Amino acid sequence: MNSYKAPLKDLSFIFNHLLDQEQLAQLPGLEDLGVDLYESILDEAGKFATNVLDPINASGDREGLKIADGVVTTPKGFKEAYAQYTQAGWNNISLELEFGGQGLPYILSTAVNEIMMSANKSFVMCSGLTIGAIEAISHAGSDELKQKYLPKLVSGEWGGTMNLTEPGAGSDVGALKTKAIDQGDGTYRIHGQKIFITFGEHDFTDNIIHLVLARLPDAPEGVRGISLFLVPKFMVNDDGSLGERNDLRCVSIEHKLGIHASPTCVMAYGDNEGAQGYLVGEKNKGLMAMFVMMNMARLTVGMEGVALTERSYQAALDYARERLQGVDAETGQSVAIIEHADVRRQLLQMKSNVEAMRALSLFIAQAQDISFRHADAEVCQHNQGLVDLLIPVFKAWATETALKTTTTGIQVHGGLGFIEETGVAQYLRDAVISVIYEGTTAIQAADLVGRKVVKDQGKNLGVLIGLMKQTLAQAEANADLADIAFELKYAIELLEQHSRAIAGQFMQSTKQALSVSVPYLMLTGLVTGAWQLAQSAVKASELLAAGDSNVNFLKGKIETARFYHKAVLPEIRGLAYTVSNTGSVITGFDNVYFGE
């Protein structure tokens, strides 16, 4: 079993040559930062991931979790690793300075997050949920709640969760039944059950702060009648010390396909007098507050796809270099399987996909930094529009791609990949849930088509395509990249054409448009990935022309982009045909045809 190594060289290339460091350095709070600092932090993150998190990843998967009398115990070494993780500040890199965060940019925390998740996805999920809770409280909570709860959430002394799903209310959040009863003193009593609550109970922290969606007795039906409540595991006294245990408990933990070291809990609120909670934001507007948490959570879930693809690729590459199988036709000598043509194809698929996804994730994070920090409101709005457009694309495309690439990683290992002892099956098992988390691929596709393409009349999509065309012009001006430019031009035209087509379908038949919205999203993801790799090829070519000594890496960048454009990107042709031709077939298929 190989050990994880952070992709520092690729991250350095992106930070130095794809991100707009000049603009980032002008943002308030980032003036004294630069690539040297970012690279130093990423180097330390890589060491932590390799030395602390990776060694307990496979063992944690095998050992799993224990629960007794509502108390969850995490695998050996996890609690101790969490203490080191928070002490080093890996949990609060981009959180606000006001409550103890480091105030560093999203581009940095996004890259660090990939590194940590590659090493141990189950472990990192705790701090990921806590960050989401912090963002929701910061956005919608009262000053009193912020002062009382945020410092210890930001420090990592306490954990946080998000509680949406119920046995009868999954994606249809508006059907939830959990009740909140106003006590008339600023508190509420919560009664209900929530399922699939990640790190709803654990032994990392002394207290867990649950954010719970519930309905007041006089609330309107559906999503317009949902409120958000902060419900602590232990009550917090005015001096910050912990008080009595709240009326909530972990009933059970799920037995899952993957992420065996991450507790997925069934939580019961108010079996007795009711769990005491506090309103976050306005009554009946809880879903809006929770979506602040969920939007950035979708970026994080997309990063899970990047992280597990990288981990699987590293394992496959190491194995392919070491495994002797077959002989060279000319020399008769045994060769490593990396010399076999189809193994090389599979490795290139993994490599090109992960580099495209990584570059896109950091482009989104950069836009997020600019939208949060820039002094010009118009610039902020412009960048937020790109974030809003790209998050559903990235989340779905990256996680769906991870399913393919982690399967490929098993295939490279042959029969040994199917055996748990080699470790590579874990990456596939851990990747499966990411497609479902924070909204399935279909939910992301419906968001993309209904809100991002139709509702805003493709405004932000037009901005994105404009950026793609700028890169296309640069590639067309470079004779060495003519074949990449040719494929990219066709892809952009196809995206424009089928964006208009699906918008037209949506206006005529919403159901028909949504029936092909996932193929449309995947088309968009593939083209966006091609744009990022074409940009990488342009920059690599420029550096080679300028005499950069890192020749093999830069040539590798160009050839990786070339492979993607010739071997991965052509999938858009089939997807485009599906978008144009199968909607009526799907909607016209009578349920009786499925059989009895």
Side-chain angles (χ1 to χ4, degrees), residues 214-229:
R215 192 182 299 280
L216 293 163
D218 59 349
E221 292 295 320
V223 296
R224 290 181 295 177
I226 297 175
S227 300
L228 180 63
F229 299 89

Side-chain angles (χ1 to χ4, degrees), residues 349-574:
Q349 281 188 327
M350 299 177 81
K351 184 179 192 294
S352 62
N353 272 302
V354 75
E355 290 184 14
M357 292 188 293
R358 177 179 296 121
L360 181 58
S361 73
L362 290 169
F363 174 82
I364 296 170
Q366 173 181 259
Q368 188 75 65
D369 280 320
I370 296 170
S371 72
F372 277 5
R373 295 175 183 266
H374 204 282
D376 188 324
E378 188 174 338
V379 173
C380 293
Q381 185 177 8
H382 168 87
N383 280 274
Q384 188 60 52
L386 285 172
V387 172
D388 292 342
L389 169 68
L390 286 171
I391 278 184
V393 175
F394 173 69
K395 188 273 178 187
W397 171 61
T399 55
E400 290 281 358
T401 302
L403 290 185
K404 296 179 182 178
T405 50
T406 52
T407 300
T408 301
I410 293 174
Q411 178 75 10
V412 171
H413 283 76
L416 288 175
F418 196 65
I419 297 171
E420 288 288 353
E421 282 74 12
T422 50
V424 294
Q426 182 189 349
Y427 310 139
L428 171 60
R429 290 190 286 100
D430 286 355
V432 172
I433 187 58
S434 301
V435 177
I436 301 168
Y437 271 150
E438 309 306 337
T440 63
T441 300
I443 289 173
Q444 306 304 321
D447 177 34
L448 173 65
V449 173
R451 294 190 179 94
K452 311 301 165 56
V453 175
V454 174
K455 190 174 181 179
D456 82 341
Q457 299 180 323
K459 177 182 176 183
N460 291 313
L461 181 62
V463 172
L464 178 65
I465 289 174
L467 293 173
M468 292 181 181
K469 288 181 177 179
Q470 290 178 19
T471 300
L472 173 62
Q474 294 173 322
E476 288 177 326
N478 187 327
D480 294 334
L481 305 179
D483 53 345
I484 292 175
F486 177 83
E487 298 293 347
L488 181 61
K489 182 178 181 180
Y490 176 82
I492 294 171
E493 291 172 350
L494 205 65
L495 177 59
E496 287 183 296
Q497 176 187 341
H498 286 81
S499 295
R500 291 191 296 269
I502 201 165
Q505 285 187 54
F506 191 91
M507 301 306 292
Q508 293 177 2
S509 169
T510 301
K511 184 178 289 188
Q512 185 170 312
L514 293 182
S515 71
V516 293
S517 60
V518 169
Y520 170 75
L521 182 147
M522 296 303 291
L523 185 158
T524 307
L526 284 164
V527 177
T528 309
W531 162 52
Q532 286 294 309
L533 289 186
Q535 193 174 21
S536 297
V538 168
K539 296 297 182 183
S541 181
E542 290 173 354
L543 290 167
L544 285 170
D548 193 296
S549 61
N550 205 0
V551 175
N552 287 339
F553 175 81
L554 295 172
K555 285 186 176 180
K557 273 288 174 189
I558 295 171
E559 294 307 313
T560 298
R562 182 165 281 122
F563 173 87
Y564 183 97
H565 281 77
K566 290 179 177 294
V568 178
L569 186 60
E571 292 177 29
I572 64 175
R573 291 166 170 81

Side-chain angles (χ1 to χ4, degrees), residues 291-309:
F291 269 130
V292 172
M293 181 180 188
M294 289 181 66
N295 202 38
M296 293 313 294
R298 285 172 174 170
L299 176 59
T300 301
V301 173
M303 291 306 303
E304 294 174 8
V306 183
L308 290 168
T309 296

